[in-house]
Amino acid sequence: MILSRDIMACLDRLAPQAYACEWDNPGFLAGRQDKEVHRVLIALDVTTAVTEQAIRERADMVITHHPLVFRALKKINDQNFISRRIVSLLQADISYFAMHTNFDTAPGCMADLASGKLGLHKGQPLEVTGEAEGVPIGIGKVGELEKPVSLKTLADQVKAAFGLPFVLVYGADQVKEPIVRVAVSPGSGGSMLDAGIRAGAQVIVTGDIGHHEALDAVEQHMAVMDAGHYGLEHIFIPFIRDYLKQEFGDELELFEAEEAFPALVW
């Protein structure tokens, strides 16, 4: 018999909550720790659609990257769209666990996964947040491509690696080619642009970049490739599925949230 606390302990070994940033709120966010678990839904966010899928698929547990409960909630009722999801999960007796910046920084997790998909070598954390067994860990990675490429070729590689329909590129006419040194910061990377510039990256691949942030980065000779927040971080879903499959085998039935890119090209 597998209980929700067994799964949470397993995930905490992968990405200890102690690695999370101080402002973050990962961990056991709703439900019962002694809930018997047979079916697990893995998603990036607990949206209303994900909540409905979890109930429809009779999930016993939901695991996400982004925490649904991020800031303090003073009321849990059905009058608020966030707390309404919590009520729905509790009514269905579904336990809920999130692993956010602890997963971003843990060895072998988000930063390493993303840099590996781009084939970066000699990688170092873009922003060091701590260390694991004496080795620096942090948000994002900066490293070198195996061989120089054009900015257009790199954009094609990013789309292929992350299964994306498009990317937005700032600095195509201003940044020198060929591209060798690349930074990647999955998620919202506006605060990581200065780190990329300091690290000597010719390009940073990230998401949620504002117009003026991008122009300022380009002025400092670093191109910006906005691949979207979901676009880069949805790799969390298959990774956690495979990890739990390896740890629990056929004792758990694992399924993924239906693919839902927030932005579409029409």
Side-chain angles (χ1 to χ4, degrees):
M1 180 173 65
I2 300 172
L3 304 179
S4 53
R5 64 167 168 258
D6 300 324
I7 297 172
M8 293 187 289
C10 178
L11 294 173
D12 203 47
R13 289 193 295 271
L14 171 70
Q17 292 178 49
Y19 291 170
C21 297
E22 291 183 359
W23 48 263
D24 201 6
N25 189 42
F28 182 35
L29 300 182
R32 296 189 294 119
Q33 64 175 350
D34 60 350
K35 165 74 176 179
E36 187 172 341
V37 178
H38 301 278
R39 296 168 60 81
V40 178
L41 173 64
I42 305 163
L44 197 67
D45 300 275
V46 177
T47 60
T48 298
V50 167
T51 303
E52 292 172 348
Q53 182 184 354
I55 295 169
R56 184 173 65 250
E57 301 272 9
R58 296 177 290 106
D60 301 301
M61 188 172 186
V62 172
I63 299 167
T64 67
H65 180 46
H66 298 133
L68 174 60
V69 182
F70 199 78
R71 297 177 180 83
L73 294 174
K74 295 184 178 181
K75 299 178 181 179
I76 304 294
N77 56 40
D78 63 356
Q79 296 179 324
N80 173 277
F81 72 97
I82 292 178
S83 62
R84 187 181 303 129
R85 298 174 201 164
I86 299 171
V87 170
S88 296
L89 291 173
L90 293 175
Q91 284 181 319
D93 194 18
I94 298 172
S95 295
Y96 169 46
F97 187 81
M99 41 200 317
H100 191 208
T101 53
N102 52 320
F103 184 83
D104 286 336
T105 60
C109 294
M110 189 70 82
D112 287 335
L113 284 174
S115 64
K117 280 187 170 291
L118 295 181
L120 299 185
H121 300 277
K122 303 177 183 178
Q124 298 293 327
L126 192 55
E127 180 181 282
V128 175
T129 59
E131 59 179 46
E133 299 180 353
V135 178
I137 59 172
I139 305 293
K141 283 274 187 174
V142 60
E144 297 178 2
L145 297 171
E146 187 172 342
K147 61 180 182 180
V149 298
S150 68
L151 195 57
K152 174 65 168 63
T153 296
L154 179 62
D156 290 338
Q157 291 175 350
V158 169
K159 288 189 291 184
F162 292 90
L164 307 177
F166 71 96
V167 294
L168 298 176
V169 180
Y170 299 85
D173 297 326
Q174 297 97 326
V175 174
K176 276 190 172 184
E177 295 184 343
I179 304 299
V180 177
R181 192 160 175 80
V182 176
V184 59
S185 182
S188 183
S191 63
M192 303 301 291
L193 298 185
D194 287 343
I197 292 166
R198 288 194 301 270
Q202 295 167 273
V203 183
I204 186 169
V205 181
T206 187
D208 296 354
I209 292 298
H211 173 78
H212 297 290
E213 294 171 323
L215 293 185
D216 290 347
V218 170
E219 284 289 329
Q220 297 174 81
H221 314 295
M222 183 178 72
V224 177
M225 197 168 293
D226 188 338
H229 200 128
Y230 182 95
L232 293 179
E233 289 195 328
H234 70 95
I235 58 177
F236 168 87
I237 299 172
F239 178 84
I240 293 298
R241 178 202 62 207
D242 293 345
Y243 176 76
L244 292 177
K245 178 71 173 177
Q246 175 183 311
E247 294 294 313
F248 294 98
D250 294 333
E251 293 183 82
L252 288 179
E253 188 172 352
L254 306 165
F255 52 110
E256 303 179 13
E258 296 164 0
E259 187 176 277
F261 280 88
L264 300 175
V265 178
W266 284 0

